[in-house]
Amino acid sequence: MTREMLRGSLAAAVIAFPGIGFAGEWVMGPAFKDGWIGDYTAAVTAGYMALDNDSASDDSSLGLQFALNCPWFRPPQGMIRQQFNLNRFDHDGLELTSLEMNPRYFWDLPSNFTLGAGPGVGYVWTDTDEGKSPNLWSLQAGVDLDYRKGVFYFGVGTRYQWTENKRVGLNDKGVDNWLTSVKVGVNF
């Protein structure tokens, strides 16, 4: 399967999956109503970033994630969780720092697991050994499998990130990439 086919499949899944739980009455502004619980999570992340880029090879990425139940919308079924990610990649003379907001629609699974999918928006700061290094706006689409029990949090996720096509370094336009991460943290 080519990268283009994988990207298309991921985008289709992210668009189609949430439709399953969207029929019914939505709650607007649940954070401003009695009984709202944020279910906050903080985690460290470690993953592998695969670049669609000719100048740098794929390598590891480290980061942080902060997540909470969406304060703006609650669907009739499932839950929307806002995930804020800060990721860092540094390899072959290319440094990327990505700040992302990735809301996910989560379905409950057995045994404290949840499965989520959704879009995202972000901003990527770039730096290269070759010179020109603009900052880029980005869009993401991703899926996550999370385990939450008491204070313990563990998750795995993958997302594709499309960036603006500004020239980064001498040879590349944009820094589109796949990132697959393991997340370990605490619920509070």
Side-chain angles (χ1 to χ4, degrees), residues 25-48:
E25 185 175 330
W26 282 68
V27 175
M28 300 302 178
F32 306 103
K33 298 185 185 324
D34 289 338
W36 182 76
I37 298 172
D39 284 334
Y40 302 100
T41 301
V44 294
T45 65
Y48 186 76

Side-chain angles (χ1 to χ4, degrees), residues 87-102:
N87 296 305
R88 178 90 168 123
F89 173 89
D90 185 355
H91 189 68
D92 284 347
L94 175 65
E95 295 178 19
L96 305 176
T97 303
S98 174
L99 180 62
E100 306 166 13
M101 182 178 69
N102 296 306

